[in-house]
Amino acid sequence: MKTSIFSKSCRVLARLLDYPHAEMRAALPELFAVLTEEGALSPARLAEMKALMGTLQQGDAYEVEARYVESFDRGRATSLHMFEHVHGDSRDRGPALIDLQQTYAAGGMFFEASELPDYLPVVLEFASTQPPETAKAFLAEMAHILNAIHSGLIKRDNPYAAAIGAVLELAGEKPQAVQITVDEALDEAWQEPAAFDGCSSKGQSKPGAPQPIHIVRKTAPHQEGVRP
């Protein structure tokens, strides 16, 4: 099977969009050399990637890791789980994940990673194994989601926007601005409503009126880095 003409770039971006552990940060010079050698990205985008890698390599390890968590694990708007943007927590997400896993199997990649199959680094790993036109079309199908993530990161002046922009470029798409809905702060979204306060803003009625059930999360879900 002939792999994508940008297969190495897909794999580099998969590494960059995963959790920035010490091993990945140590490999940054090599990863940038791969991007440069393959030449799948435009000079302007390559310059942005160099700046992003410099930020990851030179920054304090704790701050770099904290920025990653803040970038991708603090709300749905910039989540790297693609179906979060389409299905959220609805029942439709389960069948969609199964379909995606079957797509991987049909393409010759058997999914055994610890992450969910819609995690963008996993998506990029799959694209890297496919023929050029198949890989490009596969990524292009997610362009609307990638644009939403890109817009969210741009709004925050987040350097990771360069990596999402690079994925769009590999898909043959140009970044387009998307209207972003501000996520509710996690501390507020997952906070237990005060008992008997009659607060209608969280689904409770006034005292004496029927009280609907309001289920909230008490702890944030933990996302681990993919290990393809």
Side-chain angles (χ1 to χ4, degrees):
M1 177 186 294
K2 182 180 178 182
T3 56
S4 164
I5 55 175
F6 48 75
S7 61
K8 293 181 180 178
S9 295
C10 280
R11 292 179 181 177
V12 169
L13 290 170
R15 293 285 299 277
L16 285 174
L17 287 167
D18 198 4
Y19 190 80
H21 48 70
E23 181 183 357
M24 184 273 274
R25 296 177 67 216
L28 285 171
E30 180 182 352
L31 294 176
F32 183 72
V34 170
L35 287 181
T36 302
E37 180 181 355
E38 189 166 59
L41 297 176
S42 65
R45 190 67 67 188
L46 199 58
E48 292 181 358
M49 294 304 300
K50 184 176 182 179
L52 169 61
M53 291 183 178
T55 299
L56 298 178
Q57 187 176 25
Q58 298 169 14
D60 173 79
Y62 177 80
E63 292 179 356
V64 168
E65 293 169 0
R67 182 189 297 117
Y68 180 88
V69 172
E70 186 65 30
S71 298
F72 302 119
D73 295 346
R74 299 296 187 190
R76 186 170 294 160
T78 54
S79 172
L80 292 181
H81 288 87
M82 300 290 95
F83 292 162
E84 279 280 337
H85 301 267
V86 180
H87 303 297
D89 294 326
S90 73
R91 294 180 179 180
D92 293 334
R93 189 181 180 194
L97 291 172
I98 293 174
D99 288 345
L100 183 57
Q101 192 163 344
Q102 291 174 344
T103 297
Y104 291 163
M109 187 179 96
F110 296 93
F111 182 75
E112 294 182 353
S114 60
E115 267 291 353
L116 293 173
D118 65 335
Y119 183 52
L120 184 53
V122 177
V123 171
L124 289 166
E125 286 284 352
F126 173 71
S128 75
T129 68
Q130 299 305 295
E133 292 306 315
T134 301
K136 187 174 182 178
F138 178 70
L139 292 177
E141 288 180 3
M142 302 184 184
H144 60 296
I145 301 174
L146 294 168
N147 272 313
I149 299 172
H150 185 261
S151 294
L153 293 171
I154 287 290
K155 185 175 182 180
R156 301 177 188 179
D157 196 24
N158 190 303
Y160 273 108
I164 303 299
V167 177
L168 282 164
E169 190 168 295
L170 295 182
E173 303 284 337
K174 292 183 178 180
Q176 298 180 14
V178 174
Q179 184 67 35
I180 302 297
T181 301
V182 179
D183 288 323
E184 184 179 15
L186 290 184
D187 290 343
E188 296 178 9
W190 295 340
Q191 185 177 15
E192 185 98 30
F196 311 119
D197 67 351
C199 175
S200 61
S201 64
K202 288 295 183 180
Q204 294 176 309
S205 301
K206 296 180 179 179
Q211 302 292 323
I213 296 174
H214 180 67
I215 300 175
V216 295
R217 296 175 179 170
K218 292 187 177 181
T219 57
H222 176 67
Q223 294 181 354
E224 298 179 354
V226 66
R227 300 291 184 269

